[in-house]
Amino acid sequence: MDHTLSLLPFLFIIIISSSHVLPVSPTPSHKLKSATTIRKLNRGGPYIGLVTVIATEENAFLRSVDFRPDPTHPFLDLSGRRFRIGKIHGKKVVYVRCGRGMVNGAAATQQMIDVFNVKGIVHFGIAGNMNNSMSIGDVSIPKQITNAGLWDWLNPDKAKGGEDIAYLDVGNYNVPKGDGDNELGSIGYNYEQLYSVTGHINTPQNVFWINTTQEWLHLAADLEKMELSQCVNASLCLPKKPKLVVGLKAATAYIFVDNAAYRNFLYDTFGVSSSDMESSAVAMTCASNGYPIIVIRGLSDLAGEGGDNTVHEFGSLAATNTAKAVLEFIKKLPPY
């Protein structure tokens, strides 16, 4: 019997089955429609890119500013996020809420840069206060931001010294001090690797601080005179008027800091005045692509202060003050 002939029905079944498993499909119509919309929108650009993080910040922003949606294409949904297109004080903007965390911040910013014709990114939201001279409700526009979560958790049996820029000795925080050995040892703070359009191909630069755009910081300097809100409502107010400060430093990590000892360590070691979970990732993405970036963060709590964290009471006020600062900064930007 010819075994080749006897296998033909089975081969036929396999071929038919495979056609169901690996279909060759055309580009989905919704993607073609999105591409057409993007081309039309970008012909009307350039835009200022606006990136915030959570719903509290988005609600304060949309409530505080005169955002006028594009009459033809008011929004575009991409990768699960809604990119809103419109104008604020006559300036064309694209706005998105990225979601919590550094990956979300970087992904939404990169997508905005890749898809839309934007001239730069304004990143804003609330943050924890690390600086005892700053207060809840204040707004910080930092000149430098670091990723304070890029750790080397060191072997306690090995001496320090290597590439790390600073060290946190966990044992220094024993109570009482010097009472035994702390096996958690030390944490070393390492550098980011920045790949950028201005650098050599495939050769990253080690950076600890990411600078925000100097020209935009100069524009923002006048905002230090602006008036910020002091009250959440008629019965809940801050003891003094909040202020806006330009030129401080900020830290980012996948950490919600609500610990006074760690707050003081960050301030004493790195001189940072605020801590959040997205800013360095957004700034790094802009630096990599060669785009201007400014970060505007309202302080919602003093990390580690006694009792419940005040972000639940004053987060909305910090978000409102941030939105006011963003609006005033957009007014100062020259028309494109």
Side-chain angles (χ1 to χ4, degrees):
M1 180 179 178
D2 188 339
H3 292 288
T4 304
L5 289 174
S6 68
L7 288 173
L8 282 175
F10 297 100
L11 289 172
F12 180 72
I13 290 168
I14 290 168
I15 291 166
I16 294 295
S17 248
S18 299
S19 71
H20 290 287
V21 175
L22 298 171
V24 178
S25 58
T27 303
S29 59
H30 72 275
K31 288 191 176 180
L32 292 173
K33 184 178 178 182
S34 293
T36 303
T37 302
I38 289 163
R39 282 195 296 271
K40 289 179 181 177
L41 285 169
N42 284 339
R43 283 198 292 267
Y47 299 88
I48 302 162
L50 305 175
V51 180
T52 194
V53 182
I54 59 175
T56 302
E57 299 155 351
E58 178 173 81
N59 293 339
F61 176 71
L62 295 176
R63 188 172 59 245
S64 301
V65 304
D66 183 17
F67 178 79
R68 305 202 171 187
D70 185 278
T72 308
H73 302 291
F75 62 85
L76 190 64
D77 293 338
L78 299 169
S79 305
R81 294 186 179 92
R82 175 154 293 184
F83 291 79
R84 300 174 188 267
I85 299 95
K87 288 183 178 181
I88 297 174
H89 279 280
K91 308 283 175 59
K92 296 176 182 178
V93 300
V94 178
Y95 162 84
V96 70
R97 170 162 50 104
C98 67
R100 187 179 286 112
M102 297 175 72
V103 170
N104 277 326
T109 303
Q110 187 65 58
Q111 188 168 35
M112 183 174 278
I113 288 170
D114 287 343
V115 171
F116 296 99
N117 178 11
V118 294
K119 280 295 184 182
I121 301 293
V122 179
H123 174 55
F124 62 98
I126 61 177
N129 180 17
M130 304 290 112
N131 182 346
N132 288 326
S133 68
M134 299 287 282
S135 302
I136 293 169
D138 290 352
V139 174
S140 173
I141 302 181
K143 64 180 179 181
Q144 290 183 310
I145 308 162
T146 186
N147 176 1
L150 198 57
W151 289 357
D152 295 324
W153 206 305
L154 305 178
N155 185 333
D157 295 331
K158 293 184 180 179
K160 297 187 203 115
E163 296 183 347
D164 297 315
I165 194 170
Y167 297 93
L168 168 61
D169 290 315
V170 179
N172 289 345
Y173 296 88
N174 287 352
V175 179
K177 288 189 176 180
D179 184 23
D181 295 325
N182 191 306
E183 292 183 351
L184 290 175
S186 300
I187 295 165
Y189 290 75
N190 213 325
Y191 296 85
E192 289 265 24
Q193 290 193 315
L194 173 63
Y195 291 84
S196 74
V197 293
T198 58
H200 297 292
I201 294 298
N202 222 31
T203 306
Q205 177 188 359
N206 285 343
V207 296
F208 190 73
W209 296 104
I210 299 293
N211 296 323
T212 51
T213 303
Q214 196 66 31
E215 182 184 352
W216 280 14
L217 282 176
H218 287 318
L219 279 178
D222 285 344
L223 301 185
E224 290 189 333
K225 304 168 188 171
M226 71 177 291
E227 187 168 328
L228 299 172
S229 298
Q230 189 173 350
C231 297
V232 176
N233 51 48
S235 60
L236 182 59
C237 293
L238 296 168
K240 60 181 181 179
K241 275 279 187 185
K243 61 186 179 293
L244 185 148
V245 181
V246 176
L248 300 175
K249 293 182 178 181
T252 296
Y254 270 118
I255 303 167
F256 180 82
V257 180
D258 193 19
N259 180 280
Y262 191 56
R263 175 192 81 211
N264 291 333
F265 170 82
L266 287 176
Y267 180 75
D268 294 340
T269 307
F270 303 118
V272 297
S273 293
S274 61
S275 174
D276 65 71
M277 299 185 191
E278 300 80 26
S279 293
S280 75
V282 174
M284 188 88 161
T285 305
C286 290
S288 181
N289 289 276
Y291 278 70
I293 172 69
I294 195 166
V295 172
I296 302 175
R297 288 278 183 166
L299 305 182
S300 59
D301 60 283
L302 179 63
E305 195 68 5
D308 292 336
N309 191 285
T310 57
V311 67
H312 305 295
E313 275 187 308
F314 292 106
S316 61
L317 177 64
T320 296
N321 283 342
T322 304
K324 288 182 175 182
V326 171
L327 174 61
E328 291 304 312
F329 178 74
I330 290 172
K331 287 181 185 176
K332 290 187 173 296
L333 283 172
Y336 291 116

